[in-house]
Every structure is written in structure tokens, then in C-alpha cells.
Amino acid sequence: GYNIKDYFAHWLSIEKAPGARVPKIFNVNWFQVDSNGQFLWPGFGDNIRVLEWIFNRCAGTASAVETPIGYVPSKNELKTEDLHLAAGVMDRLLRVDPALWRKELDDITTYVEKGLNPTPHPADEPPVPEGLLQELAGLRARLS
């Protein structure tokens, strides 16, 4: 199999190549629920609305709001007029909760430090790429 640390190192090295076009990475959470356990986003066929924003963002024609974890669509950027979403749903869907992300980051950091970098460290294993550790530290700083 392919060592995941090598995989991370490969992706982190791409931007250093002359003329490199680094791929854009997007994170979506289709599964947020309200206090009654109902999904906030309608899902399935309506996911194309978010995918349309992603495609337009890649083309440089869609606006976004910067957050500690990256960019989210501007509130009116997604075409939701005919979805009849309850008041405040889009605000909740687009909100980045620093406390939840710090918890997620703690879990990711534990995985990286213990899962990818076991003790004792096998001599033939590559170390965790410094760039990955720097990305995690940068995210932690932005979430503070």
C-alpha cells in the first residue's frame, strides 16, 4: 500500500513545482441537523446548488466569505429561493463554529501524532511531513 505520510508529503510538495496549479479542496457537511434531528439541507438533487457554487468558485465567478477553515459561500451565493428553508437555516449552514472545529482539530492532531507517528518510531518509516504539522498549527492559530 501507499504510506499516507508519503501521500501528504506529495500533495504538500505540489505547490512548490514550477508552474504548478494546486487543486482546490472543498469540504461540505450535508448532514447538519436541527434540534428535532431533521436535516437542515434538503440533500440529494439540491446538492447540485452547492456543487454549482464550487464550480463557479473554481472559475473565479462566485463570491465567498473567509473563515478560519477556508472560504464558505456568501449568504446569497447559493440559489435557495425555491427551497423554502426556515429562517436562519442558511446562517447556520454557513457558520463555522470555532469550538466544534477546535474539537475536530484535537482529534485530527491526536491521529497525526499517535496514529501517523507511533512510538517507538520504526526506522524505515518516513516522518510526518513538516508541512502537515504547520497546516495544523496554522489552523489552530486561526481558530483561537
Side-chain angles (χ1 to χ4, degrees):
Y2 196 74
N3 186 298
I4 194 167
K5 292 182 273 188
D6 290 337
Y7 184 75
F8 284 135
H10 167 73
W11 279 105
L12 291 167
S13 73
I14 288 176
E15 70 181 346
K16 296 176 183 151
R21 289 186 41 174
V22 180
K24 296 183 185 313
I25 299 172
F26 293 85
N27 175 30
V28 294
N29 179 357
W30 307 114
F31 306 107
Q32 294 184 60
V33 294
D34 63 18
S35 58
N36 298 318
Q38 299 298 309
F39 292 114
L40 295 173
W41 184 253
F44 300 109
D46 292 307
N47 292 350
I48 194 69
R49 299 163 193 262
V50 177
L51 295 173
E52 179 183 28
W53 176 80
I54 290 171
F55 296 143
N56 291 338
R57 184 79 181 141
C58 289
T61 60
S63 64
V65 175
E66 189 172 4
T67 73
I69 64 164
Y71 294 90
V72 298
S74 301
K75 186 175 180 181
N76 296 320
E77 192 69 37
L78 298 176
K79 296 177 180 144
T80 60
E81 304 81 29
D82 60 330
L83 291 181
H84 311 292
L85 297 173
V89 165
M90 285 307 298
D91 290 333
R92 181 153 173 216
L93 286 168
L94 298 175
R95 181 176 179 269
V96 173
D97 183 338
L100 288 175
W101 272 95
R102 282 191 294 272
K103 168 69 173 98
E104 181 74 15
L105 182 57
D106 287 345
D107 292 343
I108 293 168
T109 301
T110 297
Y111 171 74
V112 168
E113 290 175 350
K114 294 189 169 102
L116 295 184
N117 216 14
T119 304
H121 187 77
D124 61 340
E125 278 281 313
V128 173
E130 186 59 33
L132 179 57
L133 300 175
Q134 290 170 356
E135 289 293 331
L136 293 174
L139 179 55
R140 188 167 303 284
R142 291 189 304 276
L143 290 168
S144 297

